[in-house]
Amino acid sequence: MRKLCLAMAMAGMLASGLAHAQSTLRIGLQDDPDVLDPVRARTFVGRIVFASLCDKLVDITPDLKFVPQLAQSWSTSPDNKTLTFKLRTDAVFHDGTPVNAAAVKANLDRARTLPDSNRKSELATVASVDAPDAETVVLHLAEPDASLLSQLSDRAGMMISPASFDKDPGGKPVCSGPYQFKERVQNDRIVLEKFPKYWDAGNYHFDRVVFTPIPDNTVRLNNLRAGDLDIIERVAPSDAKAVKDDPNLRLAPVTGLGFQSISVNLGNGARANNPLAKDKRVRQALDLAIDRDVLNQVIGEGQYQPAYQPFPPASFAYNKSFEHSGRDPKKAQALLKEAGFDRVKFEITFGNNTTMQQVFELVQAMGAEAGFDITLRPVEFASLQSSLARGDFEVGQSGWSGRVDPSGNIHQYLSCKGNLNDGKFCDAETDKLLNDARAEPDTAKRRAMYDKVLSVMQDQRPIVYLFYLPWTFGAQKKLDGFVPYPDGLIRLKGVSLAKK
């Protein structure tokens, strides 16, 4: 509460020096974002900030259709190996430079080649990018990629000013969205201010947006109820009724595209030397130890639909035959004995917020009955991302907010060179299936390939899926125009305070 009050006080002081009263929208986040460079970022909450800060080539609608943003239109060649974009001509970066084809090419080339880029595997099929004129960008693909447009509707398609590439873009991002970066205080606030030269500025009605990370669900909700926040993301299931019953608030839930899971470190640094990494039977036993239905009822209060695969039920790649109910601790114990263990010790590293603490305490208790002695290592969410990337974990929380195309939910996590494949699982046959599925335009054929991948995952268990992520927002009732999207992002176009 003290952090939030300080943030709002500073925001008020900034406003007091202006000639006219300005309006501020205050958004409470569950976690603190990591680096604010779309190419290097990993966190979901960072994507919420990017939605106001950085325009993309294309965006999505609430019903998951692709719509123009920086690109006015696009077309694909008959062989599906060339994707051509026509750019809008009235977009500029926050430093005043134009968003033209040369800038888009520079961004895509940076995303494909920067050593620590997390977008490389998303753009792996792009062989080269041309900018034949100021309004035209041509992507030449090494092979067809049915998922590419979906990738370009997210961080891979976000543009920052090329002039900022060597000027700390992660700390002081220069994008082209409706709001521009003002300041950041780590673990306290991120402040954006309206960009007056934005091509659609008339549809954005707040002069300032302040994002405040508050990991504690109760504190986040209390700030909303007190009127110190206008929107909070991820209302805890146990708090949903309180929001519904408050006459000043509105509960805005939407079914998401992503999942919550745990990844096993199979080959990423010294901490991969553990029983889970060495024997798939130990990983299978861990999977059997966890009752997703209990997680759903006890913590999710019916909102955390059990997950056994990376594809949500709305995806064509989802296959119900890979699900099961309950748990089997006796079979888990038998698998451990087959692998030569009476009990197995390991550590779960996770982002320290109220909900995940509850989830993993329950996993810890379930595991104990099946032969696992689990210790819990809670860390700040941004620190979790760093730990996963450098292999400083045995088993780590690995949530994903989801993508429209199924490739976006699996390729980065499971392919040998996937940028989010933190556990370093690598299987040549699976790699080929993932690449072939991404290149195949026929939905039925793609699903058959993904079924084969799911069979491998069920056997190897490099990732243990827990539940699908619902996005449940709480908002002040006086806020007009707020629409929740299945990707969990907060889009502020058309959002305003109701006139008294």
Side-chain angles (χ1 to χ4, degrees), residues 330-455:
K330 288 186 178 180
K331 186 175 180 181
Q333 290 171 344
L335 283 169
L336 291 184
K337 288 194 179 298
E338 283 182 26
F341 299 98
D342 289 323
R343 299 191 68 82
V344 169
K345 295 181 180 180
F346 72 91
E347 178 186 78
I348 297 178
T349 303
F350 65 95
N352 188 19
N353 61 66
T354 311
T355 299
M356 287 300 103
Q357 182 75 36
Q358 294 171 344
V359 166
F360 290 116
E361 284 178 353
L362 197 48
V363 169
Q364 182 184 46
M366 292 176 182
E369 296 176 5
F372 292 98
D373 297 318
I374 303 172
T375 56
L376 302 180
R377 178 189 171 206
V379 298
E380 289 182 350
F381 194 72
S383 297
L384 169 67
Q385 304 306 312
S386 298
S387 294
L388 294 173
R390 67 175 181 267
D392 182 19
F393 71 102
E394 291 179 338
V395 174
Q397 175 192 348
S398 185
W400 185 240
S401 51
R403 298 295 181 269
V404 176
D405 188 273
S407 179
N409 272 28
I410 193 170
H411 199 285
Q412 285 200 93
Y413 280 90
L414 210 64
S415 60
C416 292
K417 295 182 179 180
N419 294 116
L420 299 179
N421 184 354
D422 299 313
K424 305 305 179 188
F425 172 82
C426 186
D427 176 76
E429 181 182 354
T430 301
D431 241 31
K432 185 177 187 307
L433 284 167
L434 290 171
N435 291 330
D436 288 349
R438 185 168 61 180
E440 176 56 59
D442 185 273
T443 298
K445 292 179 180 177
R446 292 186 78 194
R447 174 171 179 165
M449 294 177 194
Y450 285 129
D451 282 350
K452 291 180 180 178
V453 173
L454 292 177
S455 295

Side-chain angles (χ1 to χ4, degrees), residues 274-323:
N274 65 78
L276 285 153
K278 294 177 179 178
D279 197 315
K280 68 180 182 181
R281 291 171 295 187
V282 181
R283 300 191 295 274
Q284 291 168 356
L286 176 61
D287 178 77
L288 289 168
I290 301 171
D291 191 331
R292 280 81 159 176
D293 297 308
V294 171
L295 293 177
N296 182 30
Q297 295 305 321
V298 173
I299 300 170
E301 299 199 8
Q303 297 182 34
Y304 288 177
Q305 182 177 342
Y308 302 88
Q309 57 189 294
F311 309 124
S315 173
F316 71 80
Y318 173 79
N319 189 330
K320 192 173 183 178
S321 67
F322 288 93
E323 296 182 355

Side-chain angles (χ1 to χ4, degrees), residues 258-276:
F259 54 80
Q260 191 62 251
S261 66
I262 49 178
S263 291
V264 178
N265 190 344
L266 301 176
N268 190 355
R271 301 201 72 189
N273 185 27
N274 65 78
L276 285 153

Side-chain angles (χ1 to χ4, degrees), residues 11 31 59 85 95 111-112 141 148 183 217 226 247 261 285 396 415 485:
D31 308 296
D59 200 5
F85 290 97
D95 60 5
R112 294 190 305 118
L141 310 187
L148 185 56
E183 67 166 340
N217 292 338
S261 66
S415 60
Y485 279 63

